[in-house]
Amino acid sequence: MRNMTQKLGSVDSYKIAGFEILEQAIPENYLELARKECYKLKDIRLKEIMLGLHEKEDAEWGQEKRWLGYEMASKHSPDLLSLYRSSLMYDVSRRFLECSTPWLYNDQAIVKTAREMFVFEPHYDNQYSNANERGIQTMNALWILDDQTKENGHLWIEHQSFQVWLPIYPKAGDIVLIDGNTPHASGENITDFPRGCYACVYTSDNMKDPRYYTEPFDSI
C-alpha cells in the first residue's frame, strides 16, 4: 500500500479546485470493513434517538450534541481506528497536506438510511473550528462506501477557482479529498437502500481540542 497513492490524484488539482477524487483508492477488504462498521454505528445512533438519548445525554467525543452522524467513530470501533490510522491514509494525508507529520483530528461514520431526511446544507469544515485563525490546514478524506446517485444524496462541491457548484457522483471505493475551506453539501436519500461515507479528517498541526484527537499521525 505504501507509495501507491503517488499514482492517484493530483496535488495541484486539489489546490486549484479545493477538492480531488482518488478513484478506486480503497482496497476491497478495507471498503467492506468500513461499510460494516459505519452501518453498525448508524444502527446504534438510531437506537439512541429512539430512546431519546440524543436529547438527554451529551456525546462523549466530538460535538457535544449528538446528531445523525457518528463523530470520533474510531473511538467506538477498533476496526475503524485501524482504517483511520492505516498506511493508506498516512500516505494520502502527508501527500495532500504537504507536511512531514500530519495530525489525527476526527473521523465520522455518516450513513443515510433508506428514505431518511438527512441532508447537509452548504458548509465548509473549518467554519466549525479555529483552524484558519491558527494557520492550520485541514483535509477531509471522504471514503465513499456506496455509489452516489441523484436519488441517494450525492455530493455537491464548490470549485474554489471557478466559484461554481458541481454535482459529484463518486463510486464505492473512491476517496473524495475536500479542503477544510471548500464548501460542500449533500441531499437526502430517497431510495430504499442506505448510502454511507466514512470521513477521515487530518490536519497539518495539533488542533489542541480535547474532544478530538490531539496526536501526530506517526509513520507505520
Side-chain angles (χ1 to χ4, degrees):
M1 191 65 60
R2 299 307 306 276
N3 300 319
M4 169 184 171
T5 60
Q6 300 300 321
K7 301 178 181 178
L8 295 173
S10 164
V11 175
D12 288 340
S13 177
Y14 174 74
K15 291 179 178 178
I16 292 170
F19 73 96
E20 178 72 329
I21 301 175
L22 308 184
E23 296 183 351
Q24 298 304 290
I26 307 172
E28 187 62 32
N29 59 324
Y30 283 23
L31 180 62
E32 292 178 0
L33 184 59
R35 185 184 291 120
K36 181 189 74 171
E37 292 300 303
C38 286
Y39 281 15
K40 184 187 302 182
L41 289 179
K42 180 66 175 195
D43 288 341
I44 293 173
R45 175 63 84 233
L46 292 177
K47 290 176 182 176
E48 291 173 346
I49 291 174
M50 288 179 61
L51 295 173
L53 297 180
H54 67 298
E55 296 176 347
K56 298 176 183 177
E57 299 179 9
D58 289 341
E60 183 179 2
W61 303 99
Q63 295 183 48
E64 291 187 1
K65 297 302 178 183
R66 304 182 193 201
W67 51 289
L68 290 172
Y70 224 107
E71 286 199 90
M72 297 293 282
S74 56
K75 288 285 189 180
H76 307 275
S77 167
D79 286 331
L80 287 181
L81 180 60
S82 70
L83 299 177
Y84 181 55
R85 300 193 61 149
S86 65
S87 59
L88 168 65
M89 299 317 299
Y90 179 71
D91 284 347
V92 168
S93 57
R94 286 186 72 220
R95 181 180 174 211
F96 285 87
L97 285 173
E98 294 187 304
C99 59
S100 58
T101 304
W103 287 71
L104 306 177
Y105 182 56
N106 184 21
D107 66 316
Q108 301 174 340
I110 304 172
V111 176
K112 299 185 180 189
T113 56
R115 306 286 175 178
E116 183 177 18
M117 296 288 290
F118 180 11
V119 303
F120 283 99
E121 299 296 336
H123 69 285
Y124 60 97
D125 293 345
N126 283 354
Q127 73 186 66
Y128 304 110
S129 71
N130 63 354
N132 286 337
E133 290 80 357
R134 297 178 56 201
I136 296 176
Q137 297 182 62
T138 68
M139 181 183 70
N140 180 352
L142 190 65
W143 289 33
I144 305 303
L145 306 183
D146 304 285
D147 292 355
Q148 293 196 3
T149 68
K150 291 181 179 180
E151 292 77 25
N152 70 4
H154 69 88
L155 278 168
W156 287 86
I157 303 181
E158 185 179 34
H159 192 290
Q160 290 304 278
S161 292
F162 301 151
Q163 297 295 295
V164 295
W165 282 86
L166 303 174
I168 307 296
Y169 303 103
K171 301 295 185 181
D174 293 349
I175 299 177
V176 181
L177 306 178
I178 306 175
D179 179 85
N181 289 316
T182 298
H184 52 285
S186 65
E188 65 183 277
N189 179 9
I190 62 173
T191 74
D192 294 325
F193 305 96
R195 187 280 262 175
C197 292
Y198 177 45
C200 298
V201 183
Y202 306 94
T203 63
S204 61
D205 202 348
N206 185 2
M207 292 291 286
K208 298 181 180 179
D209 186 335
R211 294 191 64 82
Y212 297 90
Y213 285 113
T214 57
E215 59 191 275
F217 194 163
D218 296 325
S219 177
I220 298 175

